[in-house]
C-alpha cells in the first residue's frame, strides 16, 4: 500500500480564495485567469461554476473547475481522484480516510471531460502561462474521455473531505 503522507509523496495545491482549475497543458496559454480585457475574466467564469465540479471551454479543449470551496487539493493517481481537504487533524488522518470515503461516497451527477493528455491543477486566478511558477501540480492523464464525479464525505468524526474522481470511459 502506498503511504501518501510520506514527505514529498503528496503535493497539495492551494488557492488564494477562489476555485482551482485543471487545464490541459496544450491550452494553458489560452487561460487568462483574473487578467483579461473582457468584462468577465476566465477567473470570473470559473467562479460562476455552481457545485463541486464543472467544465469551461479553453482553446479547443475544456478545463475542469473544482468549485464549492477553495480547499487544499491533491491528486492521488492510484485512486484517480482529486482529494480536497475539508477538515482533519493531520495529513495522515485525512489520507487514511480516502478508501472509506471512496467506498461510502454519495456521488453527484457526473460530467464527461475529454483531455488531450496531462493537465495542470492551479489557482484559477493565475494565467495559464504563469501556472507553473505558482502553487500547482501536473497530473498525468492518458488522452481520452473521462467520467468525472464528485462528493463530500465524512469518513471519521473529525474528518471531512471532498472527492473528485476521474474514470476513463
Amino acid at each position: 500500500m502506498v503511504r501518501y503522507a510520506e514527505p514529498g509523496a503528496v503535493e497539495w495545491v492551494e488557492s488564494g480564495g477562489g476555485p482551482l482549475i485543471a487545464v490541459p497543458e496544450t491550452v494553458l496559454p489560452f487561460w487568462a485567469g483574473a487578467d483579461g480585457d473582457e468584462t468577465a475574466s476566465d477567473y470570473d467564469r470559473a467562479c460562476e461554476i455552481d457545485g463541486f465540479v464543472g467544465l469551461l471551454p479553453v482553446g479547443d479543449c475544456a478545463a475542469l473547475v473544482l468549485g464549492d470551496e477553495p480547499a487544499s487539493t491533491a491528486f492521488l493517481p492510484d485512486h484517480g481522484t482529486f482529494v480536497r481537504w475539508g477538515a482533519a487533524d493531520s495529513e495522515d488522518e485525512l489520507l487514511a480516510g480516502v478508501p472509506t470515503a471512496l467506498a461510502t461516497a454519495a456521488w453527484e451527477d457526473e460530467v464527461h471531460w475529454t483531455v488531450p493528455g496531462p493537465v495542470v491543477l492551479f489557482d484559477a486566478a493565475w494565467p495559464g502561462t504563469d501556472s507553473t511558477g505558482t502553487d500547482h501540480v501536473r497530473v498525468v492523464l492518458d488522452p481520452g474521455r473521462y467520467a468525472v464525479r464528485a462528493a463530500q464525505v465524512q469518513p471519521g468524526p473529525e474528518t471531512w473531505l471532498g472527492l473528485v474522481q476521474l474514470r476513463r470511459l
Side-chain angles (χ1 to χ4, degrees):
M1 180 176 137
V2 175
R3 182 172 141 66
Y4 290 107
E6 291 174 3
V10 172
E11 294 180 67
W12 293 95
V13 176
E14 297 194 1
S15 148
L20 295 174
I21 190 161
V23 179
E25 281 182 330
T26 59
V27 295
L28 276 173
F30 298 105
W31 182 259
D35 296 342
D37 300 328
E38 300 176 24
T39 56
S41 69
D42 286 342
Y43 175 75
D44 292 331
R45 293 188 310 134
C47 289
E48 290 174 3
I49 293 296
D50 189 28
F52 300 129
V53 295
L55 299 174
L56 285 178
V58 179
D60 61 355
C61 297
L64 178 67
V65 178
L66 305 182
D68 189 42
E69 61 182 63
S72 296
T73 302
F75 185 74
L76 304 181
D78 290 352
H79 297 291
T81 302
F82 290 102
V83 175
R84 313 203 68 208
W85 190 317
D89 288 332
S90 69
E91 182 180 70
D92 281 331
E93 180 181 297
L94 182 88
L95 295 171
V98 169
T100 300
L102 287 167
T104 61
W107 299 101
E108 300 280 320
D109 292 338
E110 65 185 27
V111 298
H112 293 165
W113 184 32
T114 302
V115 296
V119 300
V120 179
L121 179 72
F122 60 98
D123 185 332
W126 287 92
T129 53
D130 295 339
S131 63
T132 58
T134 185
D135 202 13
H136 75 284
V137 67
R138 182 177 188 261
V139 177
V140 176
L141 297 176
D142 291 330
R145 195 163 181 234
Y146 291 81
V148 181
R149 61 186 186 169
Q152 294 288 328
V153 186
Q154 184 179 352
E158 299 296 322
T159 305
W160 293 271
L161 53 96
L163 302 169
V164 177
Q165 188 177 54
L166 310 177
R167 287 185 348 265
R168 184 78 189 266
L169 294 175

